[in-house]
Amino acid sequence: MSARQEFLTRAKAFEARAIARVIQFAVKTSTNLSRTVLLGLAALIFLPTVPERIDVAVLPSSVMPANPLPAATTSPIEEKSTPTSPDEAKINPAAPSPPTPSIQISESKSAPAKPPPVPLPPAKQLAPLWTDDQVATAKAVCSKLLDNIPVITESLPPARQGICGAPAPRELRSIGKEDKVAFHPPATLRCPMIAALNTWVSDKLQPSAKKHFGVSIARIVSGSYSCRNRYGLARAPISEHALMNAIDISAFVLENGKVIRVSTGWKMPHEKKGDDSAKADAAHGKRDKNHKIAASKLGAHDLAPRDDGDKVKANDSKNESKKDAKEDPKIAASEFLHEAHDSACAIFGTILGPDTNAAHHDHLHLDMKARKYHSICQ
């Protein structure tokens, strides 16, 4: 036998022994696994199940909770004591001892939802500065609107306070040439708002003031820029005052020094009534209410409701209204303020007054917010 054949024979013998040992190991491992599985199944069948309630008294000291629930204990004296009277026996009857406290396993409740965070005020919100193109465009609009009308303004630098401000604001000091109307304090506004105020003051307010008082308006008491949301609320939309696009007018001062305040002059004298007359008016029902609405739209708040049997002519009623307005300055002031409010509805985007809500009881709010269909006039 050659050396090669001897080597091949030994290699085959070694391979056969290796295969036999692998088979023997696999059989032994399989047997052990089968025994383990059988022991596990037997344990599941014969061992007791874990109870849902665990008695604290049964737990060993090593697994006792750190702060066990307090048990209702009774001193030996209390157990042996008896009621001193029949009434006490009725109030405190003998009762079985309370059950031993136990630990109940319950699912943890989900934490309540947190309220949304309060948004930042407009002055603290981030916004990019005005670009050179925005400033140049706004200044061109100012020149186009204001160069040929009788207004005195002062140009201000671009204003940016958070998301508030305007690219080319101006400080309005007065309107008019012959009958000049000063704004006190000067109003910080955008140029379109200043142009609209010029139209309103020159074409509407001054003629109305001369008609009712015989003199012109000399000064307007107002407020303008304020970086805030509407009504100062945290979650409300941003106010037009924050964009230098609104003005609040609280009073008009005439050339003779008389002050027409919105807070005291808006209502007609017969509308300022006590509780007794208010209850009497409520008895007139819907007819009287409809009449007041119609009179408000016409600006004739001193008209009285007429029944079908009345023989008062329309001309006599109109003449009597004019006579009352001349004799009573309060009527003239109320009619003037309502005319000022109503005439602004065709010029501005938003007009709010004392009839809107309590927040506007003492001023007229005017702004140039763009509206899709028509202005808001309340």
Side-chain angles (χ1 to χ4, degrees):
M1 180 181 296
S2 63
R4 182 178 179 182
Q5 291 179 351
E6 184 179 358
F7 175 79
L8 292 174
T9 303
R10 292 182 177 180
K12 289 181 180 179
F14 178 80
E15 181 181 2
R17 287 196 301 270
I19 293 173
R21 289 183 178 181
V22 169
I23 294 173
Q24 183 180 2
F25 177 78
V27 172
K28 187 177 181 179
T29 303
S30 176
T31 303
N32 293 335
L33 289 176
S34 300
R35 291 175 180 175
T36 304
V37 171
L38 290 175
L39 290 175
L41 293 175
L44 291 176
I45 295 173
F46 295 104
L47 289 180
T49 57
V50 179
E52 293 184 0
R53 294 174 176 265
I54 304 174
D55 195 346
V56 178
V58 181
L59 292 176
S61 60
S62 60
V63 296
M64 284 290 287
N67 295 318
L69 296 176
T73 58
T74 306
S75 62
I77 298 176
E78 292 176 351
E79 291 179 355
K80 296 179 181 180
S81 62
T82 56
T84 57
S85 64
D87 295 337
E88 186 177 349
K90 294 179 181 179
I91 296 174
N92 299 313
S97 59
T100 304
S102 59
I103 301 175
Q104 296 184 3
I105 302 173
S106 59
E107 297 182 358
S108 60
K109 297 181 179 179
S110 59
K114 295 182 179 179
V118 178
L120 291 174
K124 294 185 178 181
Q125 297 183 30
L126 298 179
L129 297 176
W130 302 109
T131 63
D132 294 338
D133 292 340
Q134 290 175 322
V135 174
T137 301
K139 288 183 176 180
V141 172
C142 288
S143 299
K144 181 180 180 180
L145 293 176
L146 305 183
D147 285 352
N148 298 321
I149 60 176
V151 295
I152 298 178
T153 63
E154 180 181 348
S155 298
L156 299 176
R160 175 61 89 188
Q161 182 183 6
I163 59 175
C164 305
R170 291 206 180 184
E171 192 175 73
L172 175 61
R173 297 186 178 274
S174 67
I175 289 177
K177 189 174 182 181
E178 296 179 357
D179 298 327
K180 184 179 294 186
V181 179
F183 281 77
H184 180 77
T188 303
L189 300 167
R190 296 182 181 229
C191 293
M193 186 67 187
I194 295 176
L197 283 172
N198 174 72
T199 301
W200 183 55
V201 171
S202 301
D203 298 346
K204 306 296 182 181
L205 286 188
Q206 290 292 35
S208 179
K210 292 177 181 179
K211 178 181 70 173
H212 290 287
F213 310 114
V215 293
S216 301
I217 300 171
R219 188 168 75 253
I220 291 178
V221 181
S222 62
S224 53
Y225 174 65
S226 178
C227 187
R228 59 174 174 82
N229 292 331
R230 295 179 189 173
Y231 302 102
L233 301 176
R235 302 184 188 278
I238 190 169
S239 170
E240 290 299 305
H241 287 285
L243 306 178
M244 301 182 179
N245 200 34
I247 191 170
D248 288 342
I249 298 175
S250 58
F252 302 89
V253 182
L254 305 179
E255 287 182 346
N256 58 9
K258 183 177 180 180
V259 181
I260 309 299
R261 301 184 186 278
V262 178
S263 60
T264 57
W266 178 262
K267 289 187 177 182
M268 296 291 281
H270 68 269
E271 290 181 308
K272 301 175 183 179
K273 302 175 181 179
D275 295 337
D276 294 337
S277 45
K279 293 179 181 178
D281 289 345
H284 290 288
K286 188 176 180 180
R287 179 184 61 83
D288 192 30
K289 181 179 179 181
N290 292 337
H291 171 79
K292 289 182 180 179
I293 294 174
S296 176
K297 292 181 179 180
L298 294 173
H301 294 269
D302 57 327
L303 292 179
R306 295 181 297 173
D307 296 328
D308 296 337
D310 292 340
K311 298 181 179 180
V312 182
K313 295 182 180 180
N315 293 334
D316 294 340
S317 177
K318 185 176 181 180
N319 294 334
E320 184 178 354
S321 175
K322 291 182 178 180
K323 183 178 179 180
D324 292 341
K326 291 181 180 179
E327 292 178 354
D328 192 344
K330 294 182 179 180
I331 296 178
S334 178
E335 289 185 347
F336 166 76
L337 291 174
H338 281 82
E339 287 182 9
H341 172 276
D342 295 344
S343 63
C345 297
I347 300 174
F348 299 93
T350 308
I351 306 91
L352 306 176
D355 290 342
T356 305
N357 52 32
H360 295 85
H361 75 281
D362 59 352
H363 67 273
L364 301 178
H365 170 92
L366 312 174
D367 69 50
M368 286 296 290
K369 181 177 176 61
R371 302 291 179 183
K372 189 173 182 181
Y373 297 108
H374 54 77
S375 62
I376 295 178
C377 186
Q378 298 177 349

